[in-house]
């Protein structure tokens, strides 16, 4: 998906990327929609889990919003992966059957917000801004640093 977008996904290309025989993906996924649903669920659930772990336990000895900001900077560093995620995210916007995994991700971001404020408007602002920050970072040769992400998160949550 990172290379050719959702339109470039086929059983054959997925099998090739996985280093498997050309028909392997078709054996496991009856349709491209099934394959994309599995991919979206896997990616969003892994991201939700990763965010919740960082919020709860920190990252490499760093805790709080700084740890979340470092996670964001790390995510932007894996440009191909992040591009694929947003391809899937947009697919879910078009197909309501694909939305449950994205809703779990958005709830993980909301949980982060609620750890720092009881203001539902600030939490909603964080949820709306979080993916926007990551998506915008893909548009620049020099994406924001962890320090910049942290400053934005603090502003969103504390005013």
């Amino acid at each position: 998906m990172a290379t050719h977008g959702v339109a470039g996904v086929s059983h054959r290309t997925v099998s090739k990327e996985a280093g498997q025989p050309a028909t392997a993906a078709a054996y496991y996924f009856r349709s491209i929609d099934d394959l994309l649903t599995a991919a979206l669920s896997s990616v969003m659930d892994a991201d939700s889990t990763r965010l919740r772990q960082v919020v709860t336990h920190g990252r490499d000895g760093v805790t709080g919003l700084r740890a979340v900001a470092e996670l964001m900077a790390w995510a932007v560093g894996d440009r191909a992966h992040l591009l694929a995620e947003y391809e899937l995210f947009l697919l879910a916007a078009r197909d309501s059957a694909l939305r449950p995994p994205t809703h779990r991700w958005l709830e993980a971001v909301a949980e982060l917000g609620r750890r720092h404020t009881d203001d539902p408007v600030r939490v909603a602002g964080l949820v709306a801004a979080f993916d926007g920050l990551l998506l915008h970072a893909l548009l620049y040769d020099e994406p924001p640093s962890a320090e910049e992400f942290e400053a934005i998160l603090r502003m969103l949550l504390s005013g």
Side-chain angles (χ1 to χ4, degrees), residues 40-64:
L40 177 64
S41 295
S42 175
V43 166
M44 289 288 109
D45 288 342
D47 286 350
S48 300
T49 298
R50 188 177 299 115
L51 179 60
R52 284 185 174 107
Q53 288 174 339
V54 166
V55 167
T56 304
H57 304 292
R59 181 175 165 84
D60 299 328
V62 178
T63 59

Side-chain angles (χ1 to χ4, degrees), residues 65-66 69-70 73 143-154:
L65 291 179
R66 177 57 185 205
E70 288 183 2
S145 64
E147 292 78 16
E148 291 167 309
F149 280 131
E150 182 181 11
I152 294 167
L153 292 173
R154 289 193 186 287

Side-chain angles (χ1 to χ4, degrees), residues 10-12 14-15 20-31 35:
S10 70
H11 286 110
R12 186 173 299 279
V14 169
S15 295
Q20 298 295 314
T23 59
Y27 178 78
Y28 291 101
F29 302 101
R30 196 170 203 173
S31 70
L35 190 151

Side-chain angles (χ1 to χ4, degrees), residues 15-110:
S15 295
K16 182 179 177 184
E17 276 293 314
Q20 298 295 314
T23 59
Y27 178 78
Y28 291 101
F29 302 101
R30 196 170 203 173
S31 70
I32 295 300
D33 285 345
D34 290 346
L35 190 151
L36 292 171
T37 299
L40 177 64
S41 295
S42 175
V43 166
M44 289 288 109
D45 288 342
D47 286 350
S48 300
T49 298
R50 188 177 299 115
L51 179 60
R52 284 185 174 107
Q53 288 174 339
V54 166
V55 167
T56 304
H57 304 292
R59 181 175 165 84
D60 299 328
V62 178
T63 59
L65 291 179
R66 177 57 185 205
V68 174
E70 288 183 2
L71 178 64
M72 293 172 80
W74 171 81
V76 169
D78 190 351
R79 184 177 173 78
H81 183 87
L82 197 57
L83 271 171
E85 286 187 30
Y86 284 114
E87 288 273 355
L88 289 168
F89 211 80
L90 288 172
L91 188 63
R94 291 183 185 100
D95 184 349
S96 62
L98 298 174
R99 292 185 189 154
T102 60
H103 290 182
R104 290 190 293 273
W105 162 251
L106 296 173
E107 180 53 30
V109 177

